[in-house]
């Protein structure tokens, strides 16, 4: 139910964990020479009070204020403050103008929109300590005995009531958890702060009078989340990869194995594979066109011969619709994958590790021109700086580093360097692979491709 303008529903959690709801009437109009800030137990009382405030006699009845007080109030409220300046109001504007500003033409866009809305809703419904409530307000609500009163984050005024200290309180609340919401990991809190910051960064485009509002997220106590956002560097060893393939190949639905193999062969993201359509395969299986990616831009994923042959022989699932290869939803696949990994004592393997494994292999095989490998081994903190000083050559094509980076969807060389690349020392891995293939041949035999691979590896090691 939409509340009348000037009435606000306030909910807070008491010390005994009970929840109290009041209806707040705040009046700061030019024709109302004073300031009303009253709380009522039900909506009807709040409506009656608001209506009374619009009558001349009602104004005097509500507040008997001196001329001096009237003048001070006029100076303090020299502009109409009936406008909504709560965080929740501008958070909704952010969603409308920057998240749902275009129709979800792809499943990836739809998923990203839903994710961002969920983050904003969680932020708005998180109750933190209200440092701005006065004793009179607490008394009017019957809470004057409460040392701390809580208010939903959405109800705080973005101009005057959200300071770095309040951001600190938000962090502590989320890390600790409440009766209404479980505690979350620091990495999730960091993502929520990003959305709070995004709303503040857009204020100037919502109302030019808010140009001077400082973003409180920039100055919160960084030690509260210090060393909590760890970069995952997990890749699958060749032995793990063989075991992983054995598990997914034995699963009842072959779609799961095909999705996983496509990630290992192309480094594509989960959502890019789950919703892959045959129409995206271009130029006689030379590359896959991804119209919308995580960055919001399109890109082409170029295929090596193994990936090309895999896609040529891949048959769309029987019940797949709209030209898709698979029938899974993104969340449905995630649930099945996680359960399968847990069932087979592979809980440490995440789907994104498959992408990271392929990227690491591709970068390791770049040869002497692979500046990522050189910078990694020499201990450079920034590959970009290394290239600025030591190289000037522009790379292109799938057989070059730049081509590989573009195909993988990360234009930034430092993102690949810091997040995905782990050196794979070729000769050592060749010996390990030979031993694994020999062991597999003894146990269960090799197929034609594996026999060919074993022969080639043994020839290469003899050179």
């Amino acid at each position: 139910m939409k509340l009348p303008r000037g009435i606000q529903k306030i909910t807070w959690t008491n010390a005994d964990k009970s929840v109290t709801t009041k209806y707040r009437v705040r009046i700061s109009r030019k024709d109302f020479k004073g300031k009303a800030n009253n709380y009522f137990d039900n909506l009807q009382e709040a409506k009656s009070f608001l209506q009374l405030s619009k009558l001349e006699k009602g104004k005097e009845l509500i507040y008997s204020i001196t001329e001096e007080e009237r003048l001070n109030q006029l100076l303090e409220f020299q502009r109409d403050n009936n406008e909504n300046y709560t965080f929740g109001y501008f958070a909704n504007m952010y969603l409308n103008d920057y998240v749902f500003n275009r129709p979800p033409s792809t499943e990836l866009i739809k998923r990203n929109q839903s994710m961002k809305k969920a983050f904003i809703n969680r932020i708005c419904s998180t109750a933190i300590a209200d440092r701005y409530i006065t004793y009179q307000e607490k008394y009017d609500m019957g809470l004057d005995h409460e040392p701390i009163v809580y208010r939903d984050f959405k109800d705080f005024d973005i101009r005057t009531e959200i300071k770095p200290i309040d951001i600190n309180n938000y962090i502590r609340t989320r890390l600790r958890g409440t009766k209404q919401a479980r505690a979350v990991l620091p990495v999730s809190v960091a993502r929520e702060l990003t959305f709070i910051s995004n709303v503040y960064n857009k204020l100037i485009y919502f109302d030019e009078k808010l140009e001077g509002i400082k973003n409180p997220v920039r100055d919160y106590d960084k030690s509260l989340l210090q060393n909590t956002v760890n970069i995952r560097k997990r890749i699958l060893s060749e032995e793990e990869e063989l075991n992983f393939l054995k598990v997914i190949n034995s699963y009842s639905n072959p779609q799961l194995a095909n999705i996983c193999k496509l990630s290992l062969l192309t480094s594509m993201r989960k959502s890019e594979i789950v919703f892959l359509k045959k129409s995206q395969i271009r130029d006689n299986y030379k590359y896959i066109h991804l119209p919308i990616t995580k960055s919001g831009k399109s890109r082409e994923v170029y295929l090596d011969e193994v990936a090309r042959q895999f896609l040529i022989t891949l048959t769309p699932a029987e019940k797949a619709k709209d030209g898709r290869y698979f029938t899974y939803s993104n969340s449905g696949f995630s649930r099945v994958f996680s359960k399968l990994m847990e069932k087979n004592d592979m809980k440490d393997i995440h789907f994104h590790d498959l992408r990271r494994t392929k990227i690491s292999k591709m970068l390791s095989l770049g040869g002497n021109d692979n500046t990522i490998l050189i910078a990694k081994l020499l201990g450079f903190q920034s590959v970009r700086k290394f290239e600025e000083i030591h190289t000037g050559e522009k790379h292109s094509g799938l057989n070059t580093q730049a081509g590989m980076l573009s195909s993988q969807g990360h234009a930034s060389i430092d993102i690949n360097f810091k997040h995905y690349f782990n050196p794979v020392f070729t000769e050592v891995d060749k010996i390990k692979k030979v031993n694994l293939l020999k062991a597999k041949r003894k146990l269960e035999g090799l197929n034609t491709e594996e026999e060919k691979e074993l022969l080639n590896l043994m020839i290469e090691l003899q050179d």
Side-chain angles (χ1 to χ4, degrees), residues 132-356:
Y132 305 94
I133 189 170
T134 65
Y135 177 80
Q136 184 61 45
E137 290 173 329
K138 290 172 68 174
Y139 179 81
D140 292 340
M141 292 187 292
L143 298 172
D144 49 306
H145 61 286
E146 297 287 348
I148 301 177
V149 175
Y150 293 87
R151 184 168 24 136
D152 286 350
F153 198 82
K154 69 176 183 291
D155 294 326
F156 283 81
D157 192 313
I158 52 96
R159 301 167 300 173
T160 58
E161 294 182 337
I162 303 179
K163 304 296 182 184
I165 293 178
D166 302 296
I167 299 298
N168 293 344
N169 289 338
Y170 179 91
I171 294 170
R172 294 188 181 97
T173 298
R174 296 296 285 134
L175 292 176
R176 183 175 61 246
T178 64
K179 187 177 181 180
Q180 288 71 35
R182 61 177 177 80
V184 296
L185 295 174
V187 64
S188 297
V189 181
R191 293 186 71 185
E192 291 174 7
L193 294 188
T194 298
F195 283 100
I196 296 175
S197 182
N198 288 344
V199 172
Y200 267 89
N201 289 338
K202 299 300 183 184
L203 289 180
I204 187 175
Y205 306 118
F206 300 142
D207 188 338
E208 61 183 8
K209 296 191 294 293
L210 301 176
E211 182 177 359
I213 301 297
K214 192 174 181 180
N215 188 339
V217 178
R218 295 174 184 170
D219 298 318
Y220 78 89
D221 184 357
K222 303 300 188 295
S223 67
L224 294 175
L225 297 176
Q226 190 174 11
N227 299 323
T228 56
V229 184
N230 297 319
I231 298 173
R232 185 175 175 85
K233 299 180 180 180
R234 178 81 157 84
I235 63 172
L236 275 64
S237 68
E238 294 194 1
E239 185 176 3
E240 285 179 319
E241 191 171 336
L242 283 175
N243 291 332
F244 175 78
L245 289 170
K246 190 180 297 184
V247 168
I248 63 174
N249 284 331
S250 64
Y251 187 68
S252 58
N253 188 344
Q255 292 186 63
L256 181 135
N258 289 331
I259 291 171
C260 294
K261 289 174 184 177
L262 269 175
S263 184
L264 284 168
L265 290 171
T266 65
S267 79
M268 289 167 61
R269 297 181 175 96
K270 177 176 58 181
S271 59
E272 296 167 348
I273 300 174
V274 168
F275 298 101
L276 181 66
K277 295 183 178 181
K278 200 163 187 176
S279 60
Q280 294 175 243
I281 314 299
R282 306 288 175 84
D283 198 11
N284 193 26
Y285 291 86
K286 183 179 179 181
Y287 66 91
I288 298 173
H289 175 68
L290 300 176
I292 299 293
T293 62
K294 183 179 178 181
S295 64
K297 301 177 182 179
S298 64
R299 84 172 194 271
E300 278 68 48
V301 178
Y302 289 89
L303 305 172
D304 59 25
E305 188 58 28
V306 180
R308 184 173 179 272
Q309 290 301 322
F310 180 83
L311 273 171
I312 288 175
T313 58
L314 181 63
T315 303
E318 184 179 347
K319 295 183 179 181
K321 298 179 180 179
D322 302 321
R324 289 177 55 191
Y325 276 99
F326 309 108
T327 60
Y328 277 112
S329 66
N330 201 61
S331 58
F333 175 82
S334 296
R335 285 194 298 270
V336 173
F337 181 86
S338 298
K339 288 181 180 178
L340 184 63
M341 293 299 101
E342 186 172 359
K343 181 181 177 181
N344 290 275
D345 296 324
M346 294 180 172
K347 192 175 182 180
D348 185 52
I349 296 179
H350 300 176
F351 185 86
H352 203 71
D353 297 339
L354 311 183
R355 168 176 164 82
R356 195 180 293 107

Side-chain angles (χ1 to χ4, degrees), residues 93-104:
M93 290 186 68
Y94 170 78
L95 287 175
N96 291 332
D97 292 359
Y98 293 97
V99 177
F100 294 97
N101 56 325
R102 59 175 176 173

Side-chain angles (χ1 to χ4, degrees), residues 175 191 277 279 283 380 394-395 426 431 442:
L175 292 176
R191 293 186 71 185
K277 295 183 178 181
S279 60
D283 198 11
F380 276 77
K394 298 293 183 181
H395 305 280
T426 311
I431 295 173
K442 289 181 180 180

Side-chain angles (χ1 to χ4, degrees), residues 41-59:
D41 292 326
N42 59 68
L43 181 58
Q44 188 55 49
E45 289 181 1
K47 287 181 178 179
S48 299
F49 181 88
L50 185 63
Q51 186 61 36
L52 187 63
S53 73
K54 297 177 181 179
L55 304 174
E56 287 301 321
K57 288 189 177 294
K59 297 173 190 176

